[in-house]
Amino acid sequence: MRDDEKRPEIPDIGGREDDELSQYGDEQDAPVRRRRSTKSADKAPKAAPSRAPKKKKKRKKRRSFFDFLFAGTPQRSRRSEGMRLFGREVHISFWPAFLVTIAFLLVILVFVQGSSLTVDEQNVTLVGLPQDLEGYRILHLSDLAGRRFGDEQATILREINTLDYDAVFITGDMVGASGDPEPFYELLEGLPSSRPVYFIAGDSDPEPVLEVTRDITGTVEEMVLADWVLGAIERGAIYVDAPVELTVGNSSIWISPADMLNLDASELVRTCEEQMTQEQEGTVLGLAEDHDTLPATTYRYQRSQRLLNAVNSMATTDVHISLAHEAPSDDYLAASRAHGGDEKYLTQPSLVLAGHYCGGVWRLPLLGAFYIPSSTADRHGWFPAQEDVQGLSSVSGTQVYISAGLSTSGSAPMMPFRFLNRPQISIVELTATLPQNMLTQ
């Protein structure tokens, strides 16, 4: 084709841009689209701006063991099949359910252990023990604290009735801080009347001696002793507020309160007698103050007189057992030993029976008791030597047996229940036979 030859003209039907403009007009003529109101539009992801900088990938926070334990399971594991409970579907995470189960099992453990009794039988070797007292068995109870074991103490009495014993020694806190003596009375009423029962008061019991004496006509004891003490006496128990002699065959056991071990009996009698005489004269003269205090002074004088009689009556062959709620300190027992041969004091006790610590109330595996309410123990009672908590030990030539008791200690209110520590009743058997471990040495 020659260059100067003209090509045929092609009709202008418009390019893409012209075509679109012809179809929609210019930009101002374009219709405004209505926003879609469907739910799918809300869910549609928004397109990121083309020039937006790329976001750095957020580093996933690592979960510690404690986050996993207390914050629940991770998101993936939370999707678990639900179970139907009361007509509703319930989803339970593993760790919360696990912790609730452990707590529930601990509650059952505390309840079962707190209701089941254990019996501790302990032989106590006393050199020179009379033949009449060989094998003499003492039922030792302590720290009931107003608690019931079954209806009318049926559980504890059933256990006691399976045991062989000759006398019952009770070392305080049987009524406890509640002040209700009925559980203690139920126990006394269930014990055989053929076996003597001796008891003292504990630090959590109501005061055994009234601050204001009764204005009645009767014995001095009826005027000054608390109702719960008189109630126990009415049920056959003997209140050991001064030394008492128990005759067994041709031999004697002297039972004394531990707070009288280091008292000068002669001096105590003289002091109480002087005060009593003065108040008697004041009462005759019409002095109301002397009239009100005379019964209590007379009671103290009678106690001191019984102490002096015991000091003068004790023989070297007699067995002396002292009752204490809290075990006496080593220094106190050493002082009692130092009085040996002095006729103004009680002889050194062969055996001291005590309670108060309740086995530590809470005990841990391998460690045992980690706290006892004691003002004389090392570290104020924290992490005590286990022989100071319960069981038999020897201090300054005196055997000391501490019962783990039946309930909790009123001196440790932050421990309201026993843990890994079953309630205990004890049988203490007297013997002159040396233990096997001493014979092999």
Side-chain angles (χ1 to χ4, degrees):
M1 183 180 294
R2 292 181 304 184
D3 295 336
D4 56 354
E5 187 177 349
K6 294 183 179 179
R7 295 181 181 180
E9 294 182 1
I10 300 174
D12 186 7
I13 59 176
R16 177 178 296 179
E17 295 179 359
D18 295 337
D19 183 57
E20 289 177 355
L21 290 174
S22 64
Q23 186 175 358
Y24 298 109
D26 58 13
E27 185 176 353
Q28 295 178 352
D29 295 333
V32 178
R33 295 189 181 183
R34 295 182 179 178
R35 177 178 284 183
R36 293 156 116 197
S37 60
T38 59
K39 295 183 179 179
S40 59
D42 296 336
K43 295 182 180 179
K46 296 181 180 180
S50 58
R51 295 184 180 181
K54 292 184 178 180
K55 293 183 178 180
K56 293 184 179 180
K57 188 175 181 181
K58 188 177 182 180
R59 186 175 182 181
K60 187 176 180 181
K61 183 180 180 181
R62 302 182 69 179
R63 293 166 59 89
S64 68
F65 171 77
F66 293 100
D67 292 335
F68 182 77
L69 180 62
F70 295 108
T73 55
Q75 188 69 24
R76 293 180 180 178
S77 62
R78 289 180 184 175
R79 296 179 181 178
S80 58
E81 294 184 2
M83 68 175 185
R84 305 292 295 183
L85 183 64
F86 300 112
R88 295 184 179 181
E89 187 174 358
V90 180
H91 294 269
I92 301 178
S93 299
F94 172 74
W95 281 109
F98 175 76
L99 294 176
V100 169
T101 302
I102 292 298
F104 179 72
L105 293 177
L106 287 176
V107 171
I108 293 179
L109 176 65
V110 169
F111 176 77
V112 171
Q113 285 204 332
S115 302
S116 60
L117 297 167
T118 181
V119 179
D120 180 42
E121 298 202 19
Q122 181 68 60
N123 289 339
V124 176
T125 301
L126 302 180
V127 178
L129 184 71
Q131 185 60 37
D132 291 330
L133 298 176
E134 179 65 38
Y136 194 83
R137 291 167 65 87
I138 298 169
L139 173 64
H140 180 198
L141 303 175
S142 188
D143 298 278
L144 181 66
R147 180 181 174 186
R148 283 186 171 89
F149 287 80
D151 187 29
E152 296 183 346
Q153 306 292 10
T155 301
I156 188 172
L157 289 172
R158 183 167 54 249
E159 187 69 40
I160 288 175
N161 289 335
T162 65
L163 303 174
D164 179 26
Y165 59 93
D166 300 293
V168 182
F169 289 7
I170 298 174
T171 53
D173 273 6
M174 299 299 281
V175 174
S178 68
D180 180 12
E182 289 302 324
F184 181 35
Y185 292 165
E186 292 168 0
L187 179 59
L188 292 175
E189 291 167 354
L191 295 174
S193 58
S194 59
R195 297 176 177 88
V197 179
Y198 301 88
F199 75 101
I200 61 171
D203 64 328
S204 294
D205 287 326
E207 285 295 328
V209 178
L210 298 174
E211 293 184 4
V212 179
T213 59
R214 298 182 182 89
D215 189 10
I216 61 173
T217 301
T219 64
V220 173
E221 287 77 10
E222 292 172 343
M223 297 174 69
V224 304
L225 292 180
D227 289 338
W228 73 271
V229 177
L230 294 176
I233 294 174
E234 290 174 0
R235 288 162 176 80
I238 301 170
Y239 179 46
V240 184
D241 56 348
V244 180
E245 184 179 12
L246 169 62
T247 302
V248 181
N250 296 322
S251 303
S252 294
I253 299 177
W254 284 93
I255 307 150
S256 71
D259 59 359
M260 281 190 162
L261 289 180
N262 293 324
L263 292 180
D264 184 332
S266 298
E267 180 64 22
L268 184 62
V269 168
R270 185 186 64 80
T271 301
C272 291
E273 186 175 17
E274 288 178 356
Q275 184 177 356
M276 184 180 64
T277 301
Q278 180 181 349
E279 292 179 0
Q280 286 174 341
E281 293 174 354
T283 300
V284 172
L285 295 174
L287 299 178
E289 184 178 355
D290 287 344
H291 174 271
D292 294 340
T293 58
L294 179 58
T297 303
T298 304
Y299 172 71
R300 288 195 297 271
Y301 169 74
Q302 291 180 355
R303 285 186 64 205
S304 64
Q305 190 64 55
R306 283 186 285 159
L307 171 63
L308 182 60
N309 292 339
V311 169
N312 295 330
S313 302
M314 280 186 177
T316 55
T317 56
D318 294 342
V319 174
H320 180 194
I321 299 178
S322 192
L323 305 185
H325 180 60
E326 182 176 357
S329 67
D330 295 358
D331 292 340
Y332 188 83
L333 292 177
S336 175
R337 182 176 187 178
H339 295 315
D342 193 332
E343 297 179 354
K344 296 184 295 184
Y345 297 89
L346 290 171
T347 61
Q348 178 186 4
S350 306
L351 172 66
V352 172
L353 298 179
H356 182 60
Y357 301 136
C358 297
V361 187
W362 290 358
R363 299 180 64 85
L364 301 178
L366 302 179
L367 178 62
F370 61 89
Y371 173 76
I372 56 174
S374 174
S375 58
T376 60
D378 296 336
R379 297 175 295 278
H380 302 284
W382 288 98
F383 303 103
Q386 295 306 300
E387 61 268 20
D388 294 337
V389 178
Q390 65 182 40
L392 185 66
S393 61
S394 180
V395 179
S396 298
T398 296
Q399 304 276 8
V400 179
Y401 179 81
I402 304 174
S403 170
L406 294 164
S407 187
T408 58
S409 174
S411 299
M414 66 283 194
M415 299 178 178
F417 56 86
R418 298 171 75 108
F419 181 70
L420 300 180
N421 181 16
R422 293 169 61 189
Q424 182 186 90
I425 58 180
S426 305
I427 293 291
V428 177
E429 182 172 337
L430 308 182
T431 181
T433 305
L434 293 175
Q436 189 64 33
N437 59 349
M438 294 183 64
L439 293 175
T440 56
Q441 290 180 356

